[in-house]
Amino acid sequence: TFPWEKLTALFQSADLVVGNLEGAVGKNREVSPGETQSPVFAIDSSAIQLLGRAGFNIITTENNHSTDQGKNGKKNTINVLQNHHLTPVYSGNSPQFFTVKDTVIALVSLNTVLCRDSTRNQLPSVEIRQKLRLAKSLAKIVVVSIHWGSELLDWPSMEQREVARWLIKNGADIIIGSHPHVIQKPELIDGKPVFFSLG
């Protein structure tokens, strides 16, 4: 079955549809060794076309599974997304800018959860502060897509709250979180919406 069957009409009517691709294009046999015992999410390249069919325009690739197929797998994932006319957004190319009805939106993609190759975004960070300030100077709305928190925890951790305050202080207008695999109740922090976890 097509997982987005009942959402396709809604997605295709929207100006922008952003999703986080938790995994990497490749085969299980290409898994890189690492400290984490997390499962490997290998994605067959033929499945990527389903994202466009569903109505996604933009795919963020920062999460703890983005290097499941090694650094080359991460690059390959980005290339396959582009080949299917999907815009990949990751820490290295953030911020990316999109114009919707004369409104410029900046999107920054971050991950604070340890990857298989022991990489992640450290926050606070001078580099991320610079990205946010650049985004704020050129866009009306700055959206941060962030992979953070603890799996299966129904409420945001103190660390998530501290990171959210820091992101907002440095220019974020909306924060959209993932990783816990459960929905965490959204809140306003300093007047800005924070969706701690969409599930």
Side-chain angles (χ1 to χ4, degrees):
T1 58
F2 187 56
W4 298 287
E5 183 176 355
K6 294 183 179 178
L7 294 171
T8 300
L10 175 64
F11 285 1
Q12 291 180 349
S13 70
D15 296 304
L16 289 179
V17 182
V18 182
N20 183 262
L21 184 64
E22 195 163 7
V25 172
K27 309 290 183 187
N28 277 331
R29 65 176 179 274
E30 297 165 6
V31 172
S32 61
E35 299 298 322
T36 178
Q37 298 300 309
S38 183
V40 173
F41 296 157
I43 302 168
D44 192 291
S45 60
S46 65
I48 296 297
Q49 55 92 19
L50 298 175
L51 298 171
R53 180 176 148 200
F56 287 95
N57 317 109
I58 303 161
I59 301 294
T60 61
T61 60
E62 286 300 333
N63 54 68
N64 56 309
H65 291 282
S66 62
T67 61
D68 276 3
Q69 304 295 320
K71 284 191 165 80
N72 286 336
K74 187 171 184 175
K75 289 178 187 174
N76 186 38
T77 303
I78 290 164
N79 290 336
V80 172
L81 287 167
Q82 290 172 328
N83 291 341
H84 285 87
H85 310 291
L86 296 160
T87 302
V89 181
Y90 48 96
S91 183
N93 76 348
S94 293
Q96 289 288 303
F97 298 92
F98 307 92
T99 302
V100 176
K101 297 175 182 170
D102 299 324
T103 299
V104 178
I105 300 170
L107 178 60
V108 176
S109 182
L110 304 171
N111 169 48
T112 65
V113 183
L114 198 65
C115 289
R116 189 167 296 277
D117 65 351
S118 299
T119 59
R120 64 178 163 181
N121 293 116
Q122 297 286 346
L123 297 173
S125 150
V126 172
E127 179 190 6
I128 304 304
R129 181 184 290 121
Q130 290 172 338
K131 288 177 182 291
L132 290 168
R133 288 185 177 174
L134 172 64
K136 195 68 174 176
S137 69
L138 298 175
K140 185 171 183 181
I141 302 170
V142 178
V143 181
V144 174
S145 167
I146 185 167
H147 213 70
W148 61 357
S150 301
E151 290 185 354
L152 305 180
L153 195 64
D154 291 323
W155 55 88
S157 66
M158 187 62 69
E159 182 185 9
Q160 281 171 276
R161 291 179 185 281
E162 289 172 0
V163 168
R165 286 191 186 92
W166 184 86
L167 291 169
I168 290 165
K169 179 183 175 183
N170 286 283
D173 294 303
I174 302 170
I175 299 172
I176 301 173
S178 56
H179 180 65
H181 295 273
V182 292
I183 294 172
Q184 293 178 344
K185 186 178 177 181
E187 296 177 13
L188 287 177
I189 295 182
D190 297 332
K192 308 291 186 181
V194 180
F195 297 87
F196 286 103
S197 175
L198 296 187

Short mmCIF file of all heavy atoms in Angstrom, two decimals, residues 5-6 10 20 32 50 53 63 72 83 91 100 117 121 123 128 130 132-133 149 165-166 170 186 194 197:
data_model
loop_
_atom_site.label_atom_id
_atom_site.label_comp_id
_atom_site.label_asym_id
_atom_site.label_seq_id
_atom_site.Cartn_x
_atom_site.Cartn_y
_atom_site.Cartn_z
N GLU A 5 -1.39 7.66 0.89
CA GLU A 5 -2.58 7.65 0.02
C GLU A 5 -3.62 8.67 0.46
O GLU A 5 -4.17 9.40 -0.36
CB GLU A 5 -3.19 6.25 0.00
CG GLU A 5 -4.36 6.13 -0.94
CD GLU A 5 -4.90 4.70 -1.04
OE1 GLU A 5 -4.29 3.79 -0.45
OE2 GLU A 5 -5.93 4.51 -1.69
N LYS A 6 -3.89 8.75 1.77
CA LYS A 6 -4.94 9.65 2.24
C LYS A 6 -4.44 11.07 2.46
O LYS A 6 -5.22 11.95 2.82
CB LYS A 6 -5.54 9.09 3.53
CG LYS A 6 -6.27 7.77 3.30
CD LYS A 6 -6.93 7.26 4.55
CE LYS A 6 -7.67 5.97 4.27
NZ LYS A 6 -8.29 5.41 5.49
N LEU A 10 -3.90 16.55 0.04
CA LEU A 10 -3.53 17.67 0.91
C LEU A 10 -2.11 18.14 0.59
O LEU A 10 -1.86 19.34 0.44
CB LEU A 10 -3.61 17.23 2.38
CG LEU A 10 -3.13 18.25 3.41
CD1 LEU A 10 -4.01 19.49 3.41
CD2 LEU A 10 -3.08 17.63 4.80
N ASN A 20 11.38 14.66 6.82
CA ASN A 20 12.72 14.25 7.23
C ASN A 20 12.90 12.79 6.85
O ASN A 20 12.12 11.93 7.25
CB ASN A 20 12.92 14.43 8.73
CG ASN A 20 14.33 14.08 9.18
OD1 ASN A 20 14.57 12.98 9.66
ND2 ASN A 20 15.25 15.00 9.01
N SER A 32 28.26 1.01 7.69
CA SER A 32 29.54 1.38 8.28
C SER A 32 29.54 0.98 9.76
O SER A 32 28.51 1.05 10.42
CB SER A 32 29.78 2.88 8.14
OG SER A 32 28.77 3.59 8.81
N LEU A 50 8.71 7.69 -4.61
CA LEU A 50 7.42 7.72 -3.91
C LEU A 50 7.22 9.03 -3.15
O LEU A 50 6.09 9.47 -2.95
CB LEU A 50 7.32 6.54 -2.94
CG LEU A 50 7.37 5.14 -3.56
CD1 LEU A 50 7.40 4.08 -2.48
CD2 LEU A 50 6.19 4.93 -4.50
N ARG A 53 5.88 11.49 -5.58
CA ARG A 53 4.51 11.09 -5.91
C ARG A 53 3.54 11.50 -4.80
O ARG A 53 2.40 11.87 -5.05
CB ARG A 53 4.49 9.57 -6.11
CG ARG A 53 3.13 9.01 -6.46
CD ARG A 53 3.22 7.51 -6.73
NE ARG A 53 2.00 6.83 -6.35
CZ ARG A 53 1.90 5.53 -6.11
NH1 ARG A 53 2.96 4.76 -6.21
NH2 ARG A 53 0.76 5.00 -5.78
N ASN A 63 19.70 13.45 10.62
CA ASN A 63 19.18 12.62 11.70
C ASN A 63 20.24 11.58 12.05
O ASN A 63 21.27 11.49 11.39
CB ASN A 63 17.83 11.97 11.31
CG ASN A 63 17.92 11.21 10.00
OD1 ASN A 63 18.58 10.19 9.91
ND2 ASN A 63 17.26 11.73 8.96
N ASN A 72 29.69 8.25 2.12
CA ASN A 72 29.31 8.13 0.70
C ASN A 72 27.82 7.87 0.56
O ASN A 72 27.19 8.34 -0.39
CB ASN A 72 30.11 7.02 0.01
CG ASN A 72 31.55 7.43 -0.25
OD1 ASN A 72 31.85 8.62 -0.35
ND2 ASN A 72 32.44 6.46 -0.36
N ASN A 83 18.01 13.92 -8.11
CA ASN A 83 17.63 13.27 -9.37
C ASN A 83 16.13 13.08 -9.49
O ASN A 83 15.60 12.93 -10.60
CB ASN A 83 18.35 11.93 -9.53
CG ASN A 83 19.85 12.10 -9.76
OD1 ASN A 83 20.30 13.18 -10.15
ND2 ASN A 83 20.61 11.05 -9.50
N SER A 91 22.63 19.97 7.18
CA SER A 91 23.39 20.97 7.93
C SER A 91 24.38 21.70 7.03
O SER A 91 24.51 22.92 7.09
CB SER A 91 24.12 20.31 9.10
OG SER A 91 24.80 21.27 9.87
N VAL A 100 7.42 31.73 -0.96
CA VAL A 100 6.02 31.34 -1.06
C VAL A 100 5.17 32.60 -0.98
O VAL A 100 5.17 33.30 0.04
CB VAL A 100 5.63 30.36 0.08
CG1 VAL A 100 4.14 30.04 0.00
CG2 VAL A 100 6.45 29.09 0.01
N ASP A 117 28.55 7.29 12.65
CA ASP A 117 29.95 7.69 12.51
C ASP A 117 30.36 8.70 13.60
O ASP A 117 31.36 9.39 13.47
CB ASP A 117 30.21 8.28 11.13
CG ASP A 117 29.45 9.58 10.88
OD1 ASP A 117 28.59 9.94 11.72
OD2 ASP A 117 29.72 10.23 9.86
N ASN A 121 25.38 17.63 15.32
CA ASN A 121 25.54 19.07 15.52
C ASN A 121 25.64 19.36 17.01
O ASN A 121 24.80 18.90 17.79
CB ASN A 121 24.37 19.85 14.93
CG ASN A 121 24.30 19.75 13.42
OD1 ASN A 121 23.36 19.22 12.87
ND2 ASN A 121 25.31 20.28 12.75
N LEU A 123 25.34 22.04 19.95
CA LEU A 123 24.69 23.32 20.23
C LEU A 123 24.87 23.65 21.71
O LEU A 123 24.75 22.75 22.54
CB LEU A 123 23.19 23.25 19.89
CG LEU A 123 22.85 23.01 18.43
CD1 LEU A 123 21.35 22.80 18.27
CD2 LEU A 123 23.31 24.16 17.58
N ILE A 128 26.46 27.36 13.87
CA ILE A 128 24.99 27.36 13.75
C ILE A 128 24.45 28.77 14.00
O ILE A 128 23.49 29.20 13.36
CB ILE A 128 24.35 26.34 14.72
CG1 ILE A 128 24.91 24.93 14.48
CG2 ILE A 128 22.83 26.35 14.57
CD1 ILE A 128 24.76 24.41 13.07
N GLN A 130 25.88 31.52 13.16
CA GLN A 130 26.09 32.24 11.90
C GLN A 130 25.06 31.86 10.86
O GLN A 130 24.55 32.71 10.13
CB GLN A 130 27.50 31.97 11.39
CG GLN A 130 28.59 32.63 12.22
CD GLN A 130 29.99 32.19 11.83
OE1 GLN A 130 30.19 31.14 11.22
NE2 GLN A 130 30.97 33.00 12.18
N LEU A 132 21.99 30.81 11.43
CA LEU A 132 20.71 31.40 11.83
C LEU A 132 20.67 32.90 11.55
O LEU A 132 19.66 33.43 11.11
CB LEU A 132 20.44 31.12 13.31
CG LEU A 132 20.13 29.66 13.65
CD1 LEU A 132 20.17 29.44 15.15
CD2 LEU A 132 18.79 29.23 13.08
N ARG A 133 21.77 33.57 11.81
CA ARG A 133 21.81 35.02 11.57
C ARG A 133 21.74 35.33 10.08
O ARG A 133 21.11 36.31 9.67
CB ARG A 133 23.05 35.63 12.22
CG ARG A 133 22.91 35.64 13.74
CD ARG A 133 24.05 36.32 14.44
NE ARG A 133 23.78 36.36 15.88
CZ ARG A 133 24.63 36.78 16.78
NH1 ARG A 133 25.82 37.23 16.40
NH2 ARG A 133 24.32 36.78 18.06
N GLY A 149 16.27 14.96 21.27
CA GLY A 149 15.47 14.35 22.32
C GLY A 149 15.74 12.87 22.53
O GLY A 149 16.71 12.31 22.01
N ARG A 165 15.42 27.40 23.29
CA ARG A 165 15.60 28.81 23.68
C ARG A 165 16.80 29.42 22.97
O ARG A 165 16.74 30.58 22.53
CB ARG A 165 15.78 28.91 25.20
CG ARG A 165 14.49 28.71 25.97
CD ARG A 165 14.62 29.07 27.44
NE ARG A 165 13.39 28.72 28.15
CZ ARG A 165 13.19 27.54 28.76
NH1 ARG A 165 14.14 26.63 28.75
NH2 ARG A 165 12.04 27.29 29.35
N TRP A 166 17.87 28.65 22.84
CA TRP A 166 19.07 29.16 22.18
C TRP A 166 18.79 29.40 20.69
O TRP A 166 19.19 30.43 20.14
CB TRP A 166 20.22 28.17 22.36
CG TRP A 166 21.51 28.67 21.79
CD1 TRP A 166 22.42 29.47 22.41
CD2 TRP A 166 22.01 28.43 20.46
NE1 TRP A 166 23.47 29.74 21.55
CE2 TRP A 166 23.24 29.12 20.36
CE3 TRP A 166 21.55 27.70 19.37
CZ2 TRP A 166 24.01 29.10 19.19
CZ3 TRP A 166 22.31 27.69 18.21
CH2 TRP A 166 23.52 28.38 18.12
N ASN A 170 18.68 33.11 18.71
CA ASN A 170 19.57 33.39 17.59
C ASN A 170 18.86 33.46 16.24
O ASN A 170 19.51 33.45 15.20
CB ASN A 170 20.70 32.36 17.56
CG ASN A 170 21.72 32.61 18.65
OD1 ASN A 170 22.55 33.49 18.52
ND2 ASN A 170 21.62 31.86 19.75
N PRO A 186 3.35 20.50 21.65
CA PRO A 186 4.01 21.75 21.25
C PRO A 186 3.79 22.85 22.28
O PRO A 186 2.83 22.81 23.06
CB PRO A 186 3.35 22.09 19.91
CG PRO A 186 2.03 21.42 19.95
CD PRO A 186 2.19 20.20 20.81
N VAL A 194 7.14 25.86 19.08
CA VAL A 194 8.12 24.77 19.12
C VAL A 194 7.36 23.45 19.11
O VAL A 194 6.65 23.14 20.06
CB VAL A 194 9.04 24.85 20.34
CG1 VAL A 194 10.05 23.69 20.35
CG2 VAL A 194 9.75 26.19 20.41
N SER A 197 8.24 17.27 19.03
CA SER A 197 8.32 16.03 18.25
C SER A 197 7.01 15.79 17.52
O SER A 197 5.94 15.77 18.14
CB SER A 197 8.61 14.82 19.14
OG SER A 197 8.57 13.63 18.38
#
